[in-house]
Amino acid sequence: VGDPKQSIYRFRRADIRQYLRAADQIGADTARLTANFRSTRAVIGFTNDLFDRISRFEPDAQPAFQALDACRDERLLDHGSVTVLGGDHHADLVDRRAWDGELGAADELRCREASDVVTAISTALRDEWPVVDDETREVRPCRPGDICVLLPTRLSLPSLEAELRSIRVPYRAENASVVYATAEVRDVLMAVRAADDPTDELAVVAALRSPLYGCSDVELYDWRRRGGSWSLLRAAPDELAEHPVADGLSHLRTIHDRIPYVGAADLMSAVVDERRVLDTALGGADARDVWRRLRFVIDQARAWSEAGGRGIRRYLAWAQLQASETQVAETLLPERDHDAVRIMTVHAAKGLEFPITIVSGMTTQPSRRRGVQVVWGEDTWHLTSTGDDGSFEDVAPIDELMSDAERRRLLYVACTRAVDHLVVSLHRRTPDDHVPKGGEKGFTSAETAAPQAEADVLVV
């Protein structure tokens, strides 16, 4: 029992080919469940029209699309909407390559998209978009906690956080991989990394530039120009003893001195307390979520130590793994009394639903896997690596086909999380973003721009 259109765990060896073959292998009859009791007619109409066109049957790779039937209570079917952001591609970003004092093309695209997403959030709250209350089953005006932004990866998170903070809308990140990518957690981990390895000058400078130590680029330049060293183990020259960089290095040195005696959780707690991270967060709209994220990370560090984990360097490697794209299962328990916009990855949102769902960041290109690959044939498998004996290149077109098919399914999972309202971002640099190397065009954002009239789409 399952929905192959929601198979999005290929990186964990989920084999949709075997799933699609299973019914024939055991001689089973197939029964299809098409009733949808979750979403409004607008969301169902948009989803059916879109995926009927972009989710085409591919043997052993993509199931045939099966339309859904809107079976919600009739009085709760017609108040929903679908909104499309960024209908026109950003032609001015196509040829932008070099760093010229401005943002690169990809970063600029994310900033523009984040601005539109936050504008949509502000519009929904200002115009009081109608949603169905979970308890009373009556339509009421939306609140921040009714809104969830879904991201395929965390690359768009910093831009989105900056925009949300600019309008002082409370938000919270709700799965572990997103939490480990937030600015305050990265700053604390960077300080611990710098203290653990005094020879890592890049980590030391990055920690000093963070809000924990507040050293500006001018101060860092002045420190270096006047003979200061980045080493934690070298005393500052007498004439620089009162320098802001000297103060930061001095504190990092105290953290370094404690490493042999305390665990990762206590070390991070010391950084958070002594650099007043929780106090500083009070100046922002998301102070409560900052506290929650830091508590979560410190509690996980303590659990890691209690499970037998030893050594700060091993912990930092483990923390980096938690922030990787493969760690998608752990979802933080929501705080019901905290009315805030939710942010999570699409993988973490699978199985959940949200009154207002915003799908953003879909133009992010997947990174090609490196190193040793497992190449699966019809009856066997073997290990190889890119450029090894040519075997990976032989199966590369199949790999790209499977990846493209899964990205369509990822979009399907994201869109079907919506209960009352769906917002889809089409921000992209060219009309033909996401064209696989094999030559056959994959889905493009532009393909979502012409849904049927009954989908009630507002193009912003």
Side-chain angles (χ1 to χ4, degrees):
V1 177
D3 184 359
K5 301 189 301 300
Q6 297 190 47
S7 175
I8 57 175
Y9 287 95
R10 181 168 172 260
F11 64 89
R12 287 184 172 177
R13 302 283 179 81
D15 188 357
I16 192 171
R17 177 177 63 177
Q18 178 57 40
Y19 184 94
L20 295 176
R21 292 180 178 182
D24 291 337
Q25 289 172 345
I26 63 175
D29 295 328
T30 301
R32 291 182 171 84
L33 307 179
T34 62
N36 180 294
F37 300 96
R38 168 186 294 165
S39 305
T40 57
R41 204 187 311 272
V43 173
I44 295 295
F46 174 86
T47 304
N48 284 344
D49 177 66
L50 170 61
F51 290 95
D52 183 56
R53 290 183 286 118
I54 73 169
S55 185
R56 305 175 184 90
F57 174 74
E58 295 282 351
D60 293 338
Q62 190 78 305
F65 177 71
Q66 181 69 43
L68 301 173
D69 300 318
C71 296
R72 203 179 189 186
D73 188 331
E74 191 67 30
R75 67 188 179 87
L76 305 177
L77 268 177
D78 295 319
H79 65 276
S81 67
V82 177
T83 304
V84 174
L85 307 176
D88 296 326
H89 71 280
H90 298 277
D92 60 316
L93 299 181
V94 174
D95 298 321
R96 209 161 151 183
R97 295 289 186 269
W99 176 268
D100 56 2
E102 301 178 4
L103 291 175
D107 289 334
E108 175 66 21
L109 179 62
R110 294 186 192 110
C111 288
R112 295 183 187 183
E113 182 176 50
S115 178
D116 266 7
V117 166
V118 171
T119 298
I121 293 172
S122 300
T123 301
L125 296 174
R126 183 191 65 232
D127 296 348
E128 299 184 332
W129 287 7
V131 300
V132 176
D133 190 274
D134 287 337
E135 296 181 359
T136 66
R137 304 306 297 168
E138 298 293 334
V139 176
R140 60 164 174 78
C142 70
R143 300 189 291 259
D146 298 319
I147 303 172
C148 183
V149 181
L150 298 183
L151 307 172
T153 71
R154 301 178 310 278
L155 290 176
S156 304
L157 182 61
S159 300
L160 185 60
E161 283 187 307
E163 289 292 334
L164 286 169
R165 285 171 175 160
S166 71
I167 63 169
R168 302 186 70 81
V169 169
Y171 70 92
R172 63 177 184 260
E174 286 208 351
N175 64 289
S177 64
V178 172
V179 167
Y180 277 90
T182 53
E184 58 280 347
V185 173
R186 286 188 286 112
D187 291 341
V188 172
L189 290 174
M190 185 59 69
V192 174
R193 185 180 301 278
D196 177 62
D197 184 2
T199 65
D200 189 348
E201 294 186 353
L202 181 61
V204 171
V205 173
L208 292 172
R209 293 183 75 243
S210 72
L212 273 65
Y213 299 98
C215 297
S216 68
D217 290 342
V218 172
E219 291 168 336
L220 292 169
Y221 172 76
D222 180 64
W223 169 265
R224 190 62 170 175
R225 183 181 62 83
R226 295 169 63 185
S229 170
W230 303 125
S231 174
L232 305 183
L233 308 180
R234 185 178 300 175
D238 292 339
E239 65 273 15
L240 296 176
E242 303 298 324
H243 200 281
V245 175
D247 178 69
L249 290 173
S250 175
H251 182 262
L252 286 172
R253 189 179 305 115
T254 67
I255 299 298
H256 172 77
D257 293 341
R258 281 176 265 185
I259 286 177
Y261 310 106
V262 301
D266 292 333
L267 210 61
M268 288 195 296
S269 294
V271 173
V272 170
D273 292 342
E274 294 167 14
R275 304 315 296 181
R276 301 291 187 266
V277 179
L278 301 182
D279 300 355
T280 304
L282 291 172
D286 60 335
R288 178 170 177 169
D289 199 46
V290 171
W291 292 8
R292 184 179 65 96
R293 291 195 290 263
L294 290 169
R295 287 199 308 268
F296 171 78
V297 171
I298 293 173
D299 287 345
Q300 277 208 322
R302 185 165 288 110
W304 177 83
S305 298
E306 291 172 353
R310 293 293 182 271
I312 297 302
R313 198 156 302 182
R314 288 193 181 97
Y315 166 75
L316 291 170
W318 179 84
Q320 186 173 3
L321 177 64
Q322 303 314 298
S324 70
E325 296 297 340
T326 58
Q327 301 298 310
V328 297
E330 181 155 15
T331 301
L332 277 64
L333 292 176
E335 298 185 10
R336 298 295 183 184
D337 61 338
H338 186 203
D339 195 18
V341 174
R342 305 162 74 177
I343 304 173
M344 64 176 64
T345 61
V346 180
H347 286 90
K350 187 178 178 183
L352 304 179
E353 59 184 47
F354 314 100
I356 301 175
T357 300
I358 302 177
V359 182
S360 180
M362 295 303 293
T363 58
T364 301
Q365 295 285 356
S367 58
R368 186 168 181 174
R369 288 170 292 176
R370 300 179 176 87
V372 175
Q373 305 291 329
V374 180
V375 179
W376 298 91
E378 283 295 325
D379 301 313
T380 186
W381 62 271
H382 67 278
L383 296 176
T384 185
S385 60
T386 304
D388 182 10
D389 58 1
S391 55
F392 183 75
E393 282 69 20
D394 291 340
V395 299
I398 298 175
D399 183 75
E400 289 175 355
L401 170 64
M402 298 292 283
S403 297
D404 177 66
E406 180 156 308
R407 294 198 74 219
R408 296 168 191 256
R409 297 194 296 271
L410 190 70
L411 179 62
Y412 177 80
V413 170
C415 291
T416 52
R417 300 309 93 201
V419 174
D420 301 289
H421 305 273
L422 173 64
V423 180
V424 181
S425 170
L426 307 183
H427 281 273
R428 63 206 184 280
R429 281 184 288 178
T430 70
D432 294 320
D433 276 352
H434 309 303
V435 179
K437 292 182 179 179
E440 180 183 353
K441 181 182 176 184
F443 89 85
T444 71
S445 300
E447 288 184 86
T448 67
Q452 294 176 347
E454 61 262 35
D456 187 25
V457 173
L458 171 64
V459 178
V460 179

